[in-house]
Amino acid sequence: MTETSAPAVPTGAPGGGGRDNVPVIRERLRADILGGRLLPGAQISQAGVAAEFGVSRGPVREAFRLLERDGLIEARVNHRARVTGLSVHELEHLYTLRVVSESLAVSVSVPAFTGDELDELDRLGEVLRTTDTATFDFDTWDEVHQRFHMLLLAHSGAQMLGTAAEWAAHTQRYRRVFAEEGRGLPPGAGEHAVLAQLCRDGDGAAAARLLALHLSRAALTLIAQMAPTYDPVLLRAGIRQVLGAESRP
């Protein structure tokens, strides 16, 4: 795999070798990996990152350790780090966690939505539903998409929101590949407006069921693209947990 250079230093990035630089380096590399600017398999040099950020290798090693813990890179002592590849097993695991937890979170949030929040859900849902496929841009669309899905969970608690945002960010890598292979608007885009209406109707149970189906459809579409013969047993179990044993997604 061709080596990919480390990202440029953000304006005003601190120099030196202190631990205060670790979150800056980690967040920039994390954003570049999840945002598709550092592709699966790309190599990242500790020395290159240190030079770009104007720091010693100490904070770079710590940032790499945190990124490896997050499953975003594979790093070995005295070797270049490599952005982890896309794995159908990871994809299934991430979406199973999202199906189960986000369906619960939206059912809790529905009774607590304010009028302003419901208006924003309607607006975002309409944008996602009516995006022109001829001019579709994944980054622009996904910014709205992420905002919509996090707003659905707005009243589920800070810890749930933080965890859900992390899982959603990781699934973004997989959805980006799907969108950038010329396939345009993701399947199920029109369901966002329906979800917004169910929230306005105060039907938390129906919103939870539709959200579970919406997420599972995205997952099954991606799994079929990545590995057509793969059997997503864990994901199907998660769907049945939300929808009932009689469900056959």
Side-chain angles (χ1 to χ4, degrees):
M1 187 68 67
T2 303
E3 179 184 346
T4 300
S5 61
V9 187
T11 303
R19 287 182 58 83
D20 288 349
N21 296 304
V22 173
V24 176
I25 298 168
R26 178 200 182 193
E27 185 53 37
R28 172 57 68 89
L29 291 174
R30 179 181 181 277
D32 281 350
I33 293 169
L34 295 176
R37 291 175 292 279
L38 284 172
L39 298 175
Q43 294 182 349
I44 316 172
S45 163
Q46 282 190 14
V49 175
E52 290 281 359
F53 281 84
V55 299
S56 69
R57 291 200 189 189
V60 177
R61 282 195 297 269
E62 177 64 12
F64 276 25
R65 185 187 69 79
L66 295 173
L67 291 167
E68 188 170 28
R69 185 194 66 184
D70 293 339
L72 294 175
I73 67 171
E74 300 167 349
R76 291 184 294 165
V77 178
N78 299 324
H79 288 78
R80 297 179 189 274
R82 186 183 298 273
V83 178
T84 55
L86 300 180
S87 160
V88 68
H89 300 285
E90 181 192 38
L91 173 66
E92 180 190 17
H93 185 76
L94 286 167
Y95 268 103
T96 301
L97 291 170
R98 291 191 64 186
V99 165
V100 174
S101 63
E102 292 185 32
S103 59
L104 171 64
V106 73
S107 69
V108 171
S109 295
V110 165
F113 282 133
T114 66
D116 287 344
E117 288 169 336
L118 291 170
D119 289 344
E120 185 172 6
L121 282 171
D122 286 337
R123 180 182 65 80
L124 296 174
E126 187 63 15
V127 170
L128 295 171
R129 185 182 70 83
T130 59
T131 298
D132 184 359
T133 56
T135 59
F136 176 77
D137 174 74
F138 180 83
D139 288 324
T140 302
W141 187 89
D142 198 53
E143 184 176 347
V144 178
H145 185 243
Q146 295 278 52
R147 172 59 185 161
F148 179 88
H149 275 272
M150 289 303 100
L151 186 54
L152 285 177
L153 321 179
H155 298 280
S156 60
Q159 188 168 355
M160 175 71 83
L161 271 173
T163 302
E166 185 70 15
W167 291 337
H170 279 257
T171 59
Q172 180 189 40
R173 287 213 297 163
Y174 295 86
R175 291 186 293 104
R176 179 181 298 279
V177 169
F178 180 84
E180 291 189 349
E181 287 191 353
R183 301 174 187 269
L185 200 62
E191 291 173 346
H192 298 97
V194 181
L195 277 164
Q197 184 60 53
L198 289 172
C199 292
R200 184 171 291 281
D201 294 341
D203 196 338
R209 290 193 297 271
L210 180 56
L211 182 57
L213 286 169
H214 175 78
L215 292 170
S216 63
R217 182 179 294 107
L220 291 169
T221 300
L222 289 168
I223 289 170
Q225 181 187 348
M226 292 179 68
T229 62
Y230 181 82
D231 185 13
V233 176
L234 183 65
L235 176 63
R236 294 185 187 281
I239 299 168
R240 286 194 297 271
Q241 181 173 318
V242 176
L243 302 182
E246 74 283 359
S247 172
R248 292 293 183 268

